[in-house]
Each structure stands twice: as structure tokens, then as C-alpha cells.
Amino acid sequence: MRFFVISLISACFIITVCAQNYSKLVYPGVDGKLVYVPYNDKGDIIPDFSYCGYRAGGVRTPDIPIKIEIVPGDFSTDDSKRIQGAIQKLAKEKPDSNGFRGTILLKKGRYNIQNSIKIPYSGIVLRGEGNGEDGTVLIGTSAVKYNMFYIGTTDKPVQNKSSLQIITDDYIPSGTREITVEDASIFRPGDAVIIERPSTADWIRAIGMDRIPDSWSRISNPTAEKLKKYADEGCLSEDKKFYNTTIQWKPGSKNLRFERTIVKVDGNRITLDIPLTNALQKEYGGGYIYKYSFKNRPQNIGIENLRGECIFDKNEVSLTSSMDEYYSDEKHVSQFVVFGACENVWVKKLTSKYIDNGFKSTIWSRFITVEDCEYLDPVSVITGGRRYAYHIQGQMMLVQRCYARNGRHDFVLGATVAGPNAFVDNKAELCHSFSEPHQRWATGCLYDNCSVSGPEACINIGNRGFFGTGHGWSGAQMVVWNCQSPIIIVMSPPTAQNFSIGSVGLKDMWSKDKSIQSRINQINKASGSNMQYMGIPIVGNGHIEYSGKQMLPQYLYYTQLKDRLGDNAIDNVILEK
């Protein structure tokens, strides 16, 4: 009788969950917290993305006292020297108990920025008095490509080679935190470790990235040196007029390196602080773990409440495919903010205008929050390698409540990104290309309540085939949750999965059936697929849950954050705006 009552309660709960339009894979349990259902018989689940952001998420960015004030000059001299000098001066101060040295306040006005401003020191905040046109406006004036801000260093991790241990499990599911090694005696809770997943020849063969379709391009100015180079690389056509741009993936070139901290050691079983976002399969090389350290990776750095622009040549113009003129000069600031090797960093209430690329995290950056920022009307040629608004290459990065206009790849990931990462509550308009994992097996990113519209707007999670020089399978364990786009492409890569849950279509002036199919055909051509638009705004063979309306909970990231840290964590990241 007791079993019958429990079963009846469970059955009623499942019916209630289904009736309220929850996902089959993630829904609230009887205690109100999310339940994660494996999507295959190996135990892989949708990851917990709540660890993304400053201090691993759920922490309000601090208000650091002002130590130095700078007022605008007369714009005839280089103000970047004064700002850099203030950074150098503050770096000599002793950090307080929380690791902060103080804030440099840039008073309202216009600043002449002829050189990159670098913050390679911990505990320094740069703050303006507004990101509008009447606020603190930094204007790049040099007619060369450079970064306006560079946070962090170019340092790389040093591996403790004696600590390396092979992971012995036959299969570690994505979304889980436990691994087994032969001898865990060298490890302790609190150790910083890297879990490395190798890219073996067997795995590359299994996902077809050793046979990406060829892509031939005509050789411009076929000099003898060029022809010899292409011939040596084996990519020159017989008539010596074309060369093959596709590069097949090589073993060892697509390794994933997950930065984690050990929280528990039980015999030879190790528990990590943050879930892995790619399965470790013994048949494809499994994985290994080792300790590591950085000589210089600064933290506790912030940039707040200011605006970046640049001077450009308005005589340099190009034409769009519809023959509309646009500014295309490229001799100016090319990147607004770059995050080098750094951790626990934030930028908020920043505006980038005219600058080619917006916000970019590099491979050894982590625990970064970019919030309430704008990327507006970049000036460049509308082509490859340009107009990346919010570009993730690090891990545990959160981009929330941000906006982009006139970009190309607005919410995008680079190659071999080791997640988790999250784009939450963002919007892009006048998109000239796709928001997507862009190339070569990025893993574990959440697109949560993001909206894209424009002539080429699309959220694309799939096989980019011969695009670039062989981008191939661009992403795995990607989750598109309650997003809006004219079309969403979600393809299922061998050995992994991608997801669209609760996302719906978005109609704009460009969203005609023919133009939507044209966007799909770009991926069809590059990957050898045959996806067709049938009026439903999501195509592909990935895990798709589509009912024409959004699913509950409304936000996956905030719900996961609440489950892990409680209501206060939600207040810290939502109410801060």
C-alpha cells in the first residue's frame, strides 16, 4: 500500500510537470530543485552552468573605494599615458584583506587614447561616470589596429608533471564531477588541477573530422613562392589555379583542458568543484589529471561605467550584398576589451561604438562577468574575422543582459573551449552572421533567453564543415534554452549531443522562407547536410523540444544558481542592474 501511494504521488507529479511545459531532461523535483535526466544510457546530463561568472557566480561585484581621480585633458595629448601611469602607481599599493588596491575614477569628458591601456595587476578597478555620449568617453585616435583595454597577462600554466595521473574510468559522463585515477595519494582538497581530454586519431575519425569536404579557392597573384607553398602542403590543384583551404584535424590539436579545483579525495576517487562539459571516453583516449600553477595570473579587476569609441576614415566605404554603403575603414581600435590570463574579473555598463570587435576572453581567462554592456555599429569590412561582439575562449564566463547591433558573430565561442560558459538574457539586432560555437569542438555553453534578429540572424549549433579552414563540428553539449531567432540549427555530433529546449521563432523584416532556407543552406553546403525549413523555426537532428512556446523554468541559469546558492545569489546577479 505504501509503495502504491508513493508511486501515485510520483505519477501525479510527473503529470503536473508535463502539464506545465517543463523539459523532459530538466524539471523540478518534489523538493523544488531541478532534476536532471540522462539523455542517453551512459549517464550524460545537461551540465550545471551556474558556476559561470565572477567568483563562480551568484556574487555581487564589489564597490571598491576611489583612490585616484583623473580629469579629461584638452584632447591634444595622449591620455592613455596618464591612465596607464595611474594604474602603475596604484599597483604599488598593498592590497586590502579582500585583495583590492582601489579604484581609479575617470571623470566625465573625452579622453584621447592613442595606445592600449593594460591592467596586469590584481585588485585594480577602472571606473567612469557614465557610458553615454555625455559620460566618460575614451576615444581611440591612432590609425592602427590595437586593443583599447587588455586585462591580465600572457602567462600560461605550468604543469606539475610528477602529478599526472591517467583517469581509469571507462566512461565519465558529461555533466558529472567525479573521476577515478590509479593513485590519488598526491592530490588534496583545494588543489588546482587540469583535466585534459586528448583528441586522438580514433576520436577524430569517429566524428569525421579527418575527412572534412574540400574547399577550393582561386589563387590570386600566383607567384612561384605561393605555388611552391601550396604544392608542399599538398593542396595545389592540377591546373595550378586553385588551392584547397580545408585542413583536416590532427591528433593532439583539439585537446580540451578543464580548469578545476579538487573538493574531495576518497581513496582513488576525486570529486571536482565544477562539472565537466564533455564525456571522457576510454575508447577515445579517456583523459588525465595534473596539478598546475601560474606565475602571474591577476584577479579582482574591474572596468565600469564608461564608453569606448574610435576615430575612423569616413571616406573608406564598401557595399553590402544589397548594395547599401557602409563604413569599412579598419585602421583604428580593433578590440575594445581583451581578457588575457586572468580570473575573477568583471566589466559592466560599458559601451563600445565603432570599434571592430567587442569583448573577448582568451583561453586562460576564467570566472569573468560581462554585464549590461553594449556593442554598437562597428566599423570594418563585413567579412570573416571581424565584428565579434561577445567572444568566449576561456571558461566559466558569463555574458548577461548585453546588447549588440550591426555585428556578425554576436554571441560566439572559439575553438576547443572547455566549458561551462553562459550567454544569458542578451539581445542582438541587425546581425550579419550567426551566433554560435564557431569552430572545432567548443563544449558546454548555455544560450539562455537570447534573442537575435537581422539579415543573417541565426543561432547555429552544428557542423560548419569546410568553413574557415575546416571548422567542422563547432560545438558539443550546447544548450539553447528559451531563445528567439528566425532560425535555430541544432545538429547532433557523434559522441556528444546538442539541445534546443523551449526556443521559438522570431519574425523580422528579413525572415522570409527563402532567406531562412538560404541561411540553412550555408550549413548544408559546408557540412554535406540536407536540412530543410518547414515552417518550424528549429531544424537539425539534435535534441529538440519545441511546442511553439517557451518552457519552464524561464531561465535555466538563474534556476541552477538558486538551487546551488539560494535566493540571495539571484538577487546579487539580477537586481544589480
Side-chain angles (χ1 to χ4, degrees):
M1 185 66 175
R2 180 171 175 270
F3 174 76
F4 173 76
V5 172
I6 293 173
S7 298
L8 183 60
I9 292 172
S10 299
C12 291
F13 177 74
I14 291 171
I15 292 171
T16 301
V17 165
C18 294
Q20 292 186 0
N21 203 35
Y22 286 100
S23 166
K24 295 181 293 184
L25 299 182
V26 184
Y27 55 80
V30 292
D31 62 353
K33 292 188 175 182
L34 294 178
V35 173
Y36 299 86
V37 178
Y39 58 82
N40 59 22
D41 59 2
K42 296 180 179 180
D44 294 274
I45 59 174
I46 286 179
D48 184 349
F49 295 97
S50 71
Y51 298 87
C52 299
Y54 174 72
R55 294 286 172 192
V59 177
R60 185 181 295 269
T61 54
D63 185 9
I64 305 303
I66 297 168
K67 292 291 185 69
I68 299 174
E69 287 191 7
I70 298 178
V71 298
D74 62 5
F75 210 74
S76 64
T77 58
D78 181 11
D79 292 315
S80 61
K81 290 182 179 179
R82 292 195 297 135
I83 297 170
Q84 193 66 56
I87 292 170
Q88 302 296 122
K89 180 179 179 181
L90 192 55
K92 296 177 182 178
E93 297 287 327
K94 183 179 178 180
D96 64 16
S97 59
N98 294 315
F100 287 97
R101 292 182 163 96
T103 293
I104 299 169
L105 179 65
L106 302 178
K107 302 292 286 185
K108 283 186 179 182
R110 297 165 74 245
Y111 293 82
N112 180 343
I113 306 299
Q114 296 180 14
N115 296 282
S116 179
I117 297 170
K118 300 176 182 179
I119 311 179
Y121 311 106
S122 294
I124 293 176
V125 178
L126 198 62
R127 181 184 302 151
E129 290 191 319
N131 62 341
E133 294 179 355
D134 60 347
T136 298
V137 185
L138 280 63
I139 302 176
T141 55
S142 296
V144 294
K145 292 187 176 184
Y146 60 107
N147 307 316
M148 183 162 283
F149 294 105
Y150 191 96
I151 299 174
T153 69
T154 58
D155 203 11
K156 295 180 180 180
V158 177
Q159 178 185 345
N160 180 335
K161 295 182 179 180
S162 65
S163 68
L164 189 146
Q165 282 283 307
I166 302 296
I167 295 171
T168 59
D169 304 84
D170 288 339
Y171 193 93
I172 301 291
S174 174
T176 58
R177 299 188 298 138
E178 294 187 348
I179 62 173
T180 307
V181 297
E182 290 183 350
D183 181 9
S185 62
I186 192 174
F187 297 106
R188 298 287 183 274
D191 284 346
V193 294
I194 287 176
I195 292 83
E196 186 157 350
R197 178 190 180 275
S199 49
T200 63
D202 287 342
W203 173 70
I204 291 171
R205 188 178 307 112
I207 65 172
M209 295 297 95
D210 59 345
R211 48 190 184 279
I212 305 170
D214 293 339
S215 178
W216 295 93
S217 296
R218 180 175 289 276
I219 301 172
S220 60
N221 185 25
T223 62
E225 290 79 10
K226 275 189 178 181
L227 295 177
K228 183 179 186 304
K229 176 179 179 293
Y230 297 143
D232 290 344
E233 293 173 351
C235 59
L236 183 66
S237 63
E238 291 185 5
D239 61 7
K240 299 183 180 180
K241 294 182 179 180
F242 298 86
Y243 70 103
N244 182 15
T245 61
T246 300
I247 299 173
Q248 306 298 328
W249 294 11
K250 304 298 182 185
S253 67
K254 306 296 178 285
N255 291 13
L256 298 172
R257 297 173 178 88
F258 299 93
E259 289 194 67
R260 299 293 187 262
T261 299
I262 293 176
V263 297
K264 181 181 179 181
V265 179
D266 184 5
N268 290 328
R269 194 72 172 163
I270 295 173
T271 302
L272 307 169
D273 60 336
I274 300 171
L276 301 174
T277 58
N278 200 101
L280 305 182
Q281 304 125 304
K282 196 170 187 178
E283 62 182 310
Y284 299 127
Y288 37 95
I289 180 174
Y290 51 86
K291 297 180 188 181
Y292 74 102
S293 61
F294 275 87
K295 182 178 180 180
N296 183 20
R297 180 158 71 169
Q299 61 176 321
N300 295 327
I301 301 170
I303 304 179
E304 308 171 348
N305 209 28
L306 55 79
R307 185 181 189 90
E309 297 186 0
C310 63
I311 293 173
F312 59 92
D313 185 352
K314 294 184 177 180
N315 293 314
E316 289 285 337
V317 295
S318 297
L319 297 175
T320 66
S321 57
S322 57
M323 304 304 290
D324 296 321
E325 280 193 353
Y326 68 93
Y327 295 126
S328 58
D329 175 38
E330 296 189 340
K331 293 180 180 179
H332 54 75
V333 177
S334 59
Q335 187 78 53
F336 185 35
V337 180
V338 177
F339 304 94
C342 61
E343 59 185 344
N344 297 316
V345 171
W346 74 91
V347 298
K348 66 179 183 179
K349 296 182 181 178
L350 304 186
T351 294
S352 168
K353 191 169 185 180
Y354 308 134
I355 297 170
D356 185 359
N357 298 293
F359 304 81
K360 178 182 179 180
S361 70
T362 60
I363 183 172
W364 298 117
S365 60
R366 65 172 187 166
F367 298 125
I368 291 171
T369 292
V370 176
E371 66 181 17
D372 303 317
C373 292
E374 296 178 313
Y375 168 82
L376 307 175
D377 305 327
V379 173
S380 73
V381 180
I382 301 176
T383 190
R386 282 101 166 153
R387 302 192 181 210
Y388 286 55
Y390 303 92
H391 184 187
I392 294 176
Q393 291 185 314
Q395 44 195 302
M396 285 76 77
M397 182 171 179
L398 170 66
V399 178
Q400 69 170 352
R401 299 189 304 268
C402 290
Y403 177 75
R405 183 178 69 206
N406 245 326
R408 291 183 63 252
H409 300 299
D410 294 300
F411 310 113
V412 64
L413 294 98
T416 61
V417 175
N421 289 290
F423 294 106
V424 181
D425 201 13
N426 302 300
K427 183 176 182 178
E429 296 180 304
L430 291 174
C431 306
H432 295 284
S433 194
F434 300 172
S435 285
E436 61 186 2
H438 190 56
Q439 57 168 310
R440 298 174 172 91
W441 208 265
T443 69
C445 186
L446 171 65
Y447 288 80
D448 192 344
N449 284 264
C450 294
S451 168
V452 297
S453 63
E456 291 292 326
C458 173
I459 297 176
N460 173 48
I461 315 292
N463 185 352
R464 285 178 49 83
F466 60 63
F467 280 154
T469 54
H471 288 171
W473 280 108
S474 60
Q477 317 307 122
M478 299 283 149
V479 180
V480 183
W481 186 278
N482 283 346
C483 290
Q484 297 181 59
S485 174
I487 189 65
I488 297 171
I489 300 171
V490 180
M491 301 172 69
S492 179
T495 75
Q497 185 57 285
N498 292 310
F499 310 83
S500 176
I501 297 173
S503 295
V504 296
L506 182 153
K507 289 293 183 181
D508 56 28
M509 62 182 292
W510 300 277
S511 298
K512 311 302 182 184
D513 288 2
K514 185 176 180 180
S515 68
I516 290 174
Q517 184 61 51
S518 175
R519 296 170 215 180
I520 298 170
N521 286 343
Q522 294 180 45
I523 302 301
N524 284 340
K525 180 180 178 181
S527 65
S529 303
N530 187 31
M531 296 175 288
Q532 300 297 315
Y533 178 63
M534 306 297 289
I536 297 174
I538 305 168
V539 299
N541 63 346
H543 179 96
I544 296 171
E545 295 183 42
Y546 172 75
S547 64
K549 60 182 179 179
Q550 294 188 328
M551 289 190 168
L552 298 173
Q554 178 65 39
Y555 289 89
L556 180 60
Y557 173 80
Y558 296 135
T559 306
Q560 291 179 327
L561 197 61
K562 179 180 178 181
D563 282 357
R564 184 167 66 90
L565 297 176
D567 290 335
N568 287 341
I570 305 300
D571 293 341
N572 286 338
V573 297
I574 293 182
L575 299 183
E576 188 162 351
K577 184 177 180 181

